[in-house]
Amino acid sequence: MGLAVVAFTFAALALYLAQLRQAPDTIHHDLWEQPAEVAAQRPVAPTSWSFDFAPISAILQNVRVDEQGRLVLEPYLARVLEGATSILPTDLDDANLERLAQLIDIEMPGLAGETLSKLLVNHYRYRQAANAAGQASAATDSRATLENDIALKRKFFDEATVQAVFGKGIMLKSYLLARRAVNEDDALDEKQKKLRLAELSARYNQILPSQD
């Protein structure tokens, strides 16, 4: 009886191993499997992640989509992009950035998600370039630094995006630089400075609200 059980066990094991060899694609060694609706995407092992998508996803929920399903390009989007990219590791490679874009496309299917994923990846690369150039922490230090930052943005975003998303921030930085220049101008007395500052304030108050 005992020998029969052993023989049966070995026979069953041999059959199981044969089935595994015939269908290797059905074996998953500790792999995370994506939901059925995105089964076409390749599985990703948990150890291959270089970032946590959950907090990024929470930030991206704040974007606006219009009635046609398009991402609304507005100044607030700059804050969303900055918030999301600021919590990502600074050394993501192309494969991780591709995965990031893919996850956004999955979570927000359609034109809005496609646009958002491209903007976020481009903003991440913009931040990398700005950090390498030493501009990230000195965006308002000088007029030249601001001009360099604008030029850098134009390398990663089209002109329409620069104007719609980053235009207000650029104008605000320009305004603050102009105010500082007036305050530091020793050729002006206090009365002249006060007048110049009032003129600047009036001018920028007319421009900035129109970009909200």
Side-chain angles (χ1 to χ4, degrees):
M1 179 69 177
L3 291 176
V5 172
V6 171
F8 176 79
T9 301
F10 273 94
L13 179 60
L15 178 61
Y16 175 68
L17 292 175
Q19 290 175 338
L20 290 183
R21 284 194 293 270
Q22 292 173 0
D25 291 340
T26 63
I27 306 173
H28 300 283
H29 297 289
D30 297 323
L31 287 182
W32 170 79
E33 294 186 36
Q34 296 183 1
E37 62 269 21
V38 290
Q41 309 295 342
R42 65 182 182 277
V44 180
T47 54
S48 71
W49 291 96
S50 295
F51 59 90
D52 183 1
F53 184 66
I56 298 167
S57 174
I59 293 173
L60 298 182
Q61 297 303 314
N62 294 307
V63 302
R64 292 199 304 140
V65 178
D66 66 18
E67 295 179 354
Q68 286 73 44
R70 297 172 301 190
L71 184 68
V72 177
L73 301 182
E74 57 184 342
Y76 181 69
L77 183 55
R79 294 172 57 187
V80 173
L81 295 173
E82 182 66 27
T85 54
S86 67
I87 62 175
L88 284 168
T90 59
D91 57 350
L92 292 182
D93 57 18
D94 288 343
N96 272 282
L97 290 176
E98 179 183 353
R99 173 58 56 180
L100 175 62
Q102 191 177 67
L103 289 172
I104 296 171
D105 290 340
I106 291 170
E107 188 164 273
M108 186 184 292
L111 184 58
E114 180 182 342
T115 303
L116 182 58
S117 63
K118 290 179 180 178
L119 286 178
L120 187 62
V121 169
N122 285 344
H123 194 274
Y124 181 85
R125 288 176 171 147
Y126 154 75
R127 277 178 58 92
Q128 283 185 317
N131 287 331
Q135 293 178 198
S137 61
T140 59
D141 280 356
S142 69
R143 179 68 59 179
T145 304
L146 177 58
E147 293 298 331
N148 289 338
D149 183 63
I150 295 171
L152 191 61
K153 282 183 170 69
R154 286 176 172 150
K155 286 185 178 181
F156 294 93
F157 305 97
D158 59 44
E159 188 61 28
T161 300
V162 171
Q163 293 297 328
V165 178
F166 303 106
K168 183 175 181 179
I170 291 170
M171 291 297 295
L172 180 58
K173 291 173 183 177
S174 179
Y175 169 61
L176 294 175
L177 284 171
R179 287 186 62 89
R180 190 175 73 178
V182 170
N183 284 320
E184 294 177 353
D185 190 346
D186 294 333
L188 300 175
D189 59 31
E190 290 304 314
K191 184 177 180 179
Q192 290 172 319
K193 287 182 180 181
K194 187 175 181 179
L195 179 60
R196 292 281 182 87
L197 291 174
E199 291 172 348
L200 283 173
S201 180
R203 184 191 313 166
Y204 282 91
N205 283 337
Q206 289 178 343
I207 297 173
L208 291 177
S210 65
Q211 299 188 39
D212 287 335

